Amino acid sequence: MFELIRSGGWLMIPILACSVAALAICLERLWFLRSSRILPEGLLAEVWELIRSGEMTPERLRSIREGSPLGALIVAGLNNSRHGREIMKESIQEAAAPVVHEMERYLNSLGTIAAITPLLGLLGTVIGMIRVFSAIMLQGTGNANVLAGGISEALITTAAGLAIAIPTLVMHRYLQRRVDSLVLVMEQEAVRLVEVVHGERDVNFS
């Protein structure tokens, strides 16, 4: 494996760096975007029970807000519930912006890696072919080792770039879709609480 990497030339260094960065981002985002962390089960029922029993204190609000992204939206709505339904919904939408931004963290970087690694591979191909033609100009076609080395470098970097770009692009699309799905569910849950607080919906958080 090391010989194969070395045969690819110096462009294998940024390609390998991109692979390490992509793997780290994917693992971190998969851990961060767990449903149990973003949408804790039973949170709405717990919040409503605290409201109904009059036990919702500033300390509990702080704990709920810091506990999960859904909690942050719920608390933003509750803090403005006395101003009416529309203001409560607007405050939830405003609170959602930084929450979504945090959920999409590093996804642009992952997309960039998916875009540049094939280009790095292509650059390696061009450099390898330049080396081949330079060797032909200087030595003719008789030195097979030099020709094979240039062609090998071109093929290895291209293959490496594509091998990293393809799974990275797949993970980028998957993670972006996961963020969109989680945000949709968070908004639906927050709106349910708004409607229950203002008596527009029966209490049913099961």
Side-chain angles (χ1 to χ4, degrees):
M1 179 62 72
F2 177 75
E3 289 297 325
L4 188 65
I5 294 173
R6 190 171 66 176
S7 299
W10 64 269
L11 272 172
M12 290 297 291
I13 296 175
I15 290 175
L16 289 175
C18 285
S19 70
V20 173
L23 179 60
I25 291 172
C26 289
L27 293 176
E28 191 275 340
R29 286 293 91 184
L30 286 172
W31 177 259
F32 183 88
L33 295 173
R34 303 186 319 277
S35 294
S36 59
R37 184 190 179 281
I38 305 296
L39 306 166
E41 188 176 353
L43 180 60
L44 278 184
E46 176 187 347
V47 169
W48 178 247
E49 180 60 28
L50 290 172
I51 294 173
R52 189 187 61 80
S53 62
E55 298 178 2
M56 183 63 79
T57 63
E59 290 74 19
R60 287 185 180 273
L61 282 173
R62 188 182 311 110
S63 176
I64 293 170
R65 183 180 66 246
E66 296 173 354
S68 67
L70 176 58
L73 301 192
I74 289 174
V75 172
L78 291 177
N79 286 338
N80 293 276
S81 59
R82 64 184 179 279
H83 299 300
R85 182 179 187 277
E86 291 305 316
I87 297 299
M88 191 176 178
K89 290 186 67 174
E90 288 178 9
S91 65
I92 289 173
Q93 292 171 353
E94 291 172 0
V99 168
V100 174
H101 179 75
E102 182 64 21
M103 291 173 66
E104 292 179 337
R105 189 179 182 189
Y106 303 131
L107 293 191
N108 282 340
S109 299
L110 194 64
T112 300
I113 291 172
I116 67 172
T117 44
L119 298 179
L120 290 172
L122 179 60
L123 180 58
T125 300
V126 172
I127 292 174
M129 297 311 296
I130 289 173
R131 181 176 298 177
V132 169
F133 286 113
S134 297
I136 291 175
M137 291 177 60
L138 295 174
Q139 304 178 27
T141 58
N143 193 335
N145 289 333
V146 174
L147 298 180
I151 295 173
S152 175
E153 179 178 337
L155 295 177
I156 290 172
T157 54
T158 300
L162 291 174
I164 294 166
I166 292 171
T168 300
L169 180 60
V170 170
M171 287 302 300
H172 177 262
R173 295 287 177 85
Y174 167 77
L175 290 170
Q176 188 64 65
R177 178 63 178 172
R178 182 161 182 78
V179 169
D180 293 342
S181 299
L182 290 171
V183 169
L184 178 61
V185 175
M186 281 196 301
E187 291 178 347
Q188 291 174 340
E189 294 289 276
V191 168
R192 286 175 65 196
L193 182 64
V194 171
E195 293 173 347
V196 169
V197 167
H198 288 279
E200 300 172 358
R201 183 174 183 149
D202 293 334
V203 179
N204 182 14
F205 295 129
S206 58

